[in-house]
Amino acid sequence: MTTSTLPRNRRTSNRPSWEEKPSPVGQGAKSLVVLIVLAVIAVPIYSVVLTSFSTQASINKAGGLVMVPGELTLEAYKQIFSNQLIVHSLFVSLAITLVGTALSMVVSVLAAYGLSRARSFGHRPILMFMIVTMFFGGGLIPTFLVVSALGGYDAYWSQILPGAVAVFNILVLRSFFSSTSPELIDAAKIDGAGDWRILWSIVLPTSKAVLAVITLFYAVGYWNNFFAAQLYLPDNGMWPLPQVVNTYVLQGNSMPGSGITNTGQYFGHQQVAPLTIQMAVVTLTLLPILVVYPFVQKHFTKGVMVGAVKG
């Protein structure tokens, strides 16, 4: 039987011959699950953002977080950006995220490339030692004592260096680097290229997907990290934004310089509720990740799955 005599659906189908055609019930169930997951993620974000623009009257009418738009106002954001604590914590978080992510990526890329070379000195013992640290650690108190003894208490570097390296991310990068075509590397060596040249001109350009994903992992970790600030930054003037959210939103403490009480604060004919201020701060915390993620999302499947399987 020639190709021309095959059934039309057999010629045009992209599914393997052993994979059954999805049934309408199966497709409907998958769509329903996706919609439920989307609702679980999107509805809380929608409610938080809408509440940050709502007045006290709208919040009182809703009995809490607002789901239906009512009277809107920008006074909460005006109040936030007039508060030096919030503005300074935002810049602190941005600086910690940028510097920490850059440092972590440099260290992780260099470590992963060295461990991906089969003939590099001591790569297997070092790899085994790093894997052990994924399962066993010194604990919180020894870590605090070490960082404090090195001068990290009340210092910004304590927010970066103790967590600058994630072994899991190094393993993903190593697996991806190991899958680089040996022919390309051999050709570069014949042309006289050293390891630095090979890494910069061959390995990194062919690993953009995994680099984007690992960069996002590190950036999200630094941006959301408030626990390190609780440990090492006693001065609230040095706090990053997540610690401000934890202290003045989750714990409900009064925010210095806000003038907000339990009954809210009036601006002309508008009333700014404490909940509005809190949700506006949460929105500022969510915004950078929501802006960056769509540009990196397309690399997730290739970056993580290929890096985790190959090598």
Side-chain angles (χ1 to χ4, degrees), residues 138-147:
L140 178 60
I141 295 178
T143 302
F144 177 82
L145 294 176
V146 170
V147 174

Side-chain angles (χ1 to χ4, degrees), residues 6 12 25 44 49 59 209 222 234 274 294 302:
L6 290 175
T12 60
V25 176
V49 174
I59 293 176
Y222 282 114
K302 182 179 178 182

Side-chain angles (χ1 to χ4, degrees), residues 173-198:
L173 288 170
R174 173 188 175 274
S175 297
F176 204 100
F177 292 167
S178 298
S179 65
T180 304
S181 174
E183 290 77 10
L184 285 176
I185 296 178
D186 292 340
K189 288 181 178 179
I190 293 174
D191 291 338
D195 285 325
W196 289 103
R197 183 69 175 180
I198 293 173

Side-chain angles (χ1 to χ4, degrees), residues 1-2 18 47 56 64 66 90 112 118 120-121 137 148 170 200 215 243 248 261 289 304:
M1 181 181 296
T2 62
W18 61 84
S47 180
Q56 178 71 67
V66 179
L90 180 60
S120 58
F121 175 76
S148 299
I170 292 178
W200 183 259
T215 299
Q243 175 61 6
Y248 301 119
T261 64
I289 303 302
V304 176

Side-chain angles (χ1 to χ4, degrees), residues 14 42 60 64 85 149 156 260 287:
N14 294 324
N60 291 340
L85 176 63
Y156 281 124
I260 297 297
L287 188 60

Side-chain angles (χ1 to χ4, degrees), residues 26-292:
Q27 290 289 80
K30 293 177 183 178
S31 301
L32 179 61
V33 170
V34 171
L35 290 176
I36 292 175
V37 172
L38 180 62
V40 170
I41 297 173
V43 170
I45 296 177
Y46 162 80
S47 180
V48 166
V49 174
L50 182 59
T51 303
S52 71
F53 290 100
S54 300
T55 61
Q56 178 71 67
S58 299
I59 293 176
N60 291 340
K61 183 178 179 180
L65 294 176
V66 179
M67 296 297 296
V68 179
E71 189 176 0
L72 303 179
T73 178
L74 293 174
E75 296 299 335
Y77 290 94
K78 294 179 181 178
Q79 179 76 0
I80 284 177
F81 286 110
S82 65
N83 189 309
Q84 292 300 318
L85 176 63
I86 298 294
V87 175
H88 184 263
S89 66
L90 180 60
F91 282 109
V92 169
S93 288
L94 289 173
I96 290 175
T97 301
L98 293 175
V99 175
T101 302
L103 176 64
S104 296
M105 286 303 298
V106 170
V107 174
S108 298
V109 166
L110 295 179
Y113 178 72
L115 294 173
S116 67
R117 302 301 95 193
R119 297 181 181 179
S120 58
F121 175 76
H123 73 284
R124 288 196 175 275
I126 295 175
L127 181 61
M128 292 299 105
F129 177 78
M130 294 178 66
I131 292 176
V132 168
T133 64
M134 296 177 62
F135 304 100
F136 303 97
L140 178 60
I141 295 178
T143 302
F144 177 82
L145 294 176
V146 170
V147 174
S148 299
L150 294 174
Y153 191 76
D154 204 18
Y156 281 124
W157 68 259
S158 64
Q159 307 301 296
I160 297 175
L161 292 185
V165 177
V167 176
F168 172 79
N169 293 339
I170 292 178
L171 295 180
V172 173
L173 288 170
R174 173 188 175 274
S175 297
F176 204 100
F177 292 167
S178 298
S179 65
T180 304
S181 174
E183 290 77 10
L184 285 176
I185 296 178
D186 292 340
K189 288 181 178 179
I190 293 174
D191 291 338
D195 285 325
W196 289 103
R197 183 69 175 180
I198 293 173
L199 174 62
W200 183 259
S201 301
I202 297 178
V203 177
L204 294 184
T206 58
S207 306
K208 292 180 179 179
V210 71
L211 292 175
V213 173
I214 300 303
T215 299
L216 183 63
F217 284 171
Y218 277 124
V220 171
Y222 282 114
W223 180 261
N224 291 331
N225 185 18
F226 70 92
F227 190 63
Q230 282 187 330
L231 291 177
Y232 306 115
L233 298 180
D235 182 7
N236 63 358
M238 299 178 65
W239 284 354
L241 189 58
Q243 175 61 6
V244 172
V245 172
N246 175 67
T247 302
Y248 301 119
V249 176
L250 296 182
Q251 299 180 15
N253 297 330
S254 178
M255 187 180 300
S258 66
I260 297 297
T261 64
N262 291 332
T263 58
Q265 180 177 355
Y266 282 97
F267 288 85
H269 298 290
Q270 298 283 351
Q271 187 184 23
V272 179
L275 184 60
T276 303
I277 295 287
Q278 293 173 351
M279 294 303 102
V281 176
V282 173
T283 301
L284 287 181
T285 307
L286 293 173
L287 188 60
I289 303 302
L290 293 178
V291 171
V292 172

